[in-house]
Amino acid sequence: MTDEPYLARPGPPVGSVSVRRANLSLVLRQLRDHASLSRADIAQATGLHRATVSNLMAELLDRRLVREVGVEHAGAIGRPRRAVALHGAHVGALGMEINVDYIAAHGTDLSGRALVERRVVFDAMSSGQDRALRRLCLVAGEAVTAMKRAGAAPAGLAVAVAGLVNAASGVVTFAPNLDWHDLPLADRLSDALGPVRVPVTVDNDANLAALAEHASGVAAGTPDLVYLTGEVGVGGGIVAGGRLLRGADGFSGEVGHLPVDPYGERCGCGRIGCWETKVGLAALVRAAMPEQAYELPGSPVPDPEERVAEMARGLTAGDPRMLAAASKAGRWLGLGGAIVVNLFNPRVIVVGGYFAALAPWLLPHAQAELERLAVAGPAARCRFVASDLGFGAASRGAATVVVNQLIDDPTSIMDPPPRPTAR
Ligand SMILES: [Zn+2]
């Protein structure tokens, strides 16, 4: 491998540079979507000439972005064919999430192999914007170090934030439960990570979790699905026709702030009676275990998973107060689900976070209420399904976004940019 910057060479004309980039991307996308393929399979699937595929493959092998994985025998006759698979063990993709009570990191290599997985309990609710940002940068820096130790230098970072995010500019417009307003998070993180500039993407947590579900969750491949985050806040990620629905400004899916009760409680966003004041984790904890309510001052923030595990133990033991609270939250979940079904007609509503952890006590009530209230009723054939990705769905989705960005433009990892000229 050469360290010489590709762009510094007397290069081919611009048109062929973009053709090369598009073809490399086409080949890598095939390998992302299949465990392994022969060169002939790739030529057939992409419509590229066999010789072109061989040339591209030689380059990808040289850059260690793909690897030979053995020999495929295609039928009784014909020559055995060598198969290749996505590799890129030295290319890191770091996904992160900052939520009300934790920060999570999920680092993979280009093939999606997990290298780093961390979740740090952190009270972002009361620590303020600057401290939360410093902590996020600290966890990001530690994850970068751990990934480098595992042999993969991060080539991109994506961060999931529970709030309204302008993904194009990387600015968090408003995160009610974090109390963030107009925070240029992509720039701030990029500066904090120091001299090694990695591209930073910021997106809404539910959008990224929906992408993770669509790529590798319980309803993987379902073209019309809605993902609901079951955290202190409740957000929605909508996949319609196989694509993430973003809306004009990227603010779609704010289902947690659907006004469902004009006489209800005040929400983190300042409005009254939002859906998340009925189904968010804080509401459930307040009803099921008031001695552990989020609003109590002075007590350390418990791990959300421990809080939920304690509730699962109580529900299993038949604690009447907890059963009543879960049944009520389940019915409110079904009411919001009915609104979602009336709007988007998804086949599946995948629920994450605590909704998944307490699914046996929530989803039967939610499903019954959904079928009672959705205008198409049972004809809409939409099921509530518990995610199996746990609290890490959004950070995993964030890492997937980075991998997809690298695969969309593999020259970004193959051809180092020209060295800055000395000033
Ligand atoms: Zn609200």
Side-chain angles (χ1 to χ4, degrees):
M1 216 176 99
T2 168
D3 286 323
E4 194 184 351
Y6 173 82
L7 292 175
R9 290 178 207 151
V14 172
S16 67
V17 170
S18 60
V19 168
R20 168 176 168 270
R21 179 166 52 214
N23 287 346
L24 286 164
S25 174
L26 207 55
V27 169
L28 288 175
R29 246 174 280 164
Q30 287 298 320
L31 292 170
R32 175 193 62 194
D33 298 340
H34 300 87
S36 70
L37 290 170
S38 71
R39 289 165 177 76
D41 295 331
I42 294 169
Q44 194 177 25
T46 58
L48 293 170
H49 197 275
R50 285 281 291 271
T52 309
V53 172
S54 289
N55 284 339
L56 294 167
M57 206 53 79
E59 196 173 350
L60 291 168
L61 280 166
D62 186 45
R63 301 285 180 167
R64 296 179 292 142
L65 298 183
V66 301
R67 64 194 170 98
E68 307 268 11
V69 288
V71 175
E72 269 188 357
H73 293 273
I77 51 166
R79 282 188 302 162
R81 300 183 300 193
R82 278 183 304 170
V84 284
L86 199 58
H87 187 42
H90 60 296
V91 179
L94 178 56
M96 299 199 61
E97 176 189 8
I98 177 154
N99 213 307
V100 175
D101 41 14
Y102 65 89
I103 293 172
H106 184 91
T108 72
D109 68 9
L110 190 69
S111 72
R113 185 172 58 105
L115 301 173
V116 174
E117 198 147 24
R118 283 196 72 192
R119 194 164 52 79
V120 182
V121 177
F122 174 65
D123 184 2
M125 217 173 197
S126 60
S127 66
Q129 182 173 299
D130 288 338
R131 257 187 68 203
L133 193 59
R134 277 202 300 278
R135 191 64 189 271
L136 180 65
C137 292
L138 195 72
V139 178
E142 287 167 2
V144 167
T145 306
M147 288 174 76
K148 284 182 176 164
R149 215 177 297 132
L157 163 62
V159 190
V161 180
L164 299 175
V165 175
N166 183 326
S169 63
V171 172
V172 179
T173 307
F174 179 40
N177 292 319
L178 299 170
D179 199 22
W180 287 5
H181 303 262
D182 298 315
L183 175 68
L185 183 59
D187 288 348
R188 297 281 294 272
L189 258 175
S190 184
D191 291 345
L193 288 176
V196 186
R197 291 272 161 184
V198 272
V200 180
T201 306
V202 183
D203 208 332
N204 171 267
D205 62 336
N207 281 350
L208 293 173
L211 286 177
E213 293 295 343
H214 187 251
S216 60
V218 283
T222 305
D224 294 277
L225 71 84
V226 170
Y227 176 85
L228 298 177
T229 61
E231 325 271 347
V232 169
V234 176
I238 300 142
V239 175
R243 299 183 71 87
L244 190 66
L245 193 77
R246 289 188 173 278
D249 300 301
F251 300 159
S252 70
E254 285 301 321
V255 291
H257 304 285
L258 284 169
V260 294
D261 181 2
Y263 307 105
E265 295 186 44
R266 188 168 293 279
C267 175
C269 75
R271 289 164 190 78
I272 297 288
C274 292
W275 188 36
E276 73 181 39
T277 67
K278 305 292 185 186
V279 295
L281 183 55
L284 183 72
V285 170
R286 205 183 309 120
M289 321 188 282
E291 64 287 353
Q292 285 207 30
Y294 276 76
E295 300 82 358
L296 296 178
S299 50
V301 181
D303 184 316
E305 256 174 333
E306 282 171 21
R307 226 171 201 159
V308 170
E310 187 179 336
M311 219 179 306
R313 283 192 292 274
L315 287 162
T316 307
D319 180 315
R321 187 174 61 182
M322 288 193 186
L323 285 170
S327 140
K328 192 173 169 197
R331 288 196 304 278
W332 276 109
L333 183 59
L335 178 137
I339 297 173
V340 163
V341 166
N342 285 344
L343 285 172
F344 304 111
N345 185 204
R347 185 62 74 231
V348 179
I349 298 177
V350 184
V351 295
Y354 98 81
F355 293 151
L358 302 182
W361 297 279
L362 294 170
L363 298 195
H365 300 289
Q367 187 71 37
E369 197 70 348
L370 166 70
E371 288 172 19
R372 189 173 75 83
L373 293 175
V375 70
R381 287 195 296 126
C382 178
R383 290 175 299 124
F384 276 103
V385 178
S387 165
D388 60 2
L389 300 181
F391 279 87
S395 54
R396 187 189 289 248
T400 305
V401 161
V402 175
V403 166
N404 287 342
Q405 285 168 347
L406 298 174
I407 285 178
D408 283 344
D409 181 10
T411 55
S412 64
I413 36 179
M414 296 170 75
D415 310 325
R419 292 186 187 93
T421 46
R423 267 181 270 182

